[in-house]
Amino acid sequence: MIDVLDKITKLKDQKGWTSYKLAKKAGIPQSTISTWYAKGRAPTIVDLEKICDALNISLAEFFKEESKGTKFSKRRKKMGISLKKLSEVADIDFELLQAYESGKKDISSEQFRVVKKLADVLLCTTEDIVD
């Protein structure tokens, strides 16, 4: 079973968004989102649809169980660094990192210098992040 609030947090963090930015993009008062977290209550289906629209995903994608993930995504999560922060520190395009994270782009096909730079920031070897 998916923890809806946890999933919302992960998705907004992957985009590098604050709760405020999510609220603005979804057209939901920030106080409403804060209340969900404070009271541990999931949003209504109508509000969840607004959030999904803002995140540019469908409800089906929202509720889809997450795969085990790529070595890259596991290492990044283990280090507790957001994609946005990794993008900034490694000076690598955020959207490219999202593609690696989701498995839509194979990191092993990237230039060695890029993979090495990511590995250095994630304090690991290139083998630790290449599937």
Side-chain angles (χ1 to χ4, degrees):
M1 180 108 176
I2 291 178
D3 179 328
V4 173
L5 295 178
D6 185 51
K7 181 81 176 231
I8 291 170
T9 300
K10 286 178 184 175
L11 291 169
K12 78 169 180 59
D13 288 352
Q14 285 175 356
K15 290 200 172 275
W17 291 0
T18 62
S19 292
Y20 176 78
K21 185 167 184 174
L22 176 63
K24 287 292 183 190
K25 294 244 180 210
I28 298 170
Q30 185 178 9
S31 60
T32 299
I33 293 175
S34 296
T35 300
W36 298 337
Y37 286 94
K39 295 187 177 184
R41 294 187 181 150
T44 65
I45 196 69
V46 171
D47 284 340
L48 189 54
E49 285 177 325
K50 290 177 183 179
I51 288 172
C52 288
D53 285 344
L55 294 167
N56 200 28
I57 61 170
S58 67
L59 275 174
E61 289 172 305
F62 182 89
F63 284 108
K64 182 179 177 186
E65 291 291 332
E66 292 183 25
S67 66
K68 301 259 186 213
T70 62
K71 280 184 168 183
F72 169 72
S73 68
K74 288 177 188 175
R75 182 64 187 188
R76 183 194 62 77
K77 290 172 186 174
K78 182 177 180 182
M79 294 301 295
I81 186 170
S82 71
L83 280 176
K84 182 178 181 183
K85 184 68 175 177
L86 181 58
S87 172
E88 292 168 1
V89 173
D91 192 30
I92 296 173
D93 182 67
F94 178 75
E95 290 179 0
L96 181 61
L97 295 181
Q98 284 181 312
Y100 295 150
E101 180 93 2
S102 67
K104 291 180 180 174
K105 183 166 175 62
D106 185 3
I107 195 170
S108 66
S109 66
E110 189 55 71
Q111 294 177 5
F112 178 78
R113 66 176 179 75
V114 173
V115 178
K116 177 70 172 127
K117 190 186 274 189
L118 288 170
D120 289 347
V121 173
L122 294 172
L123 305 175
C124 65
T125 66
T126 56
E127 291 83 13
D128 291 332
I129 59 174
V130 175
D131 289 313

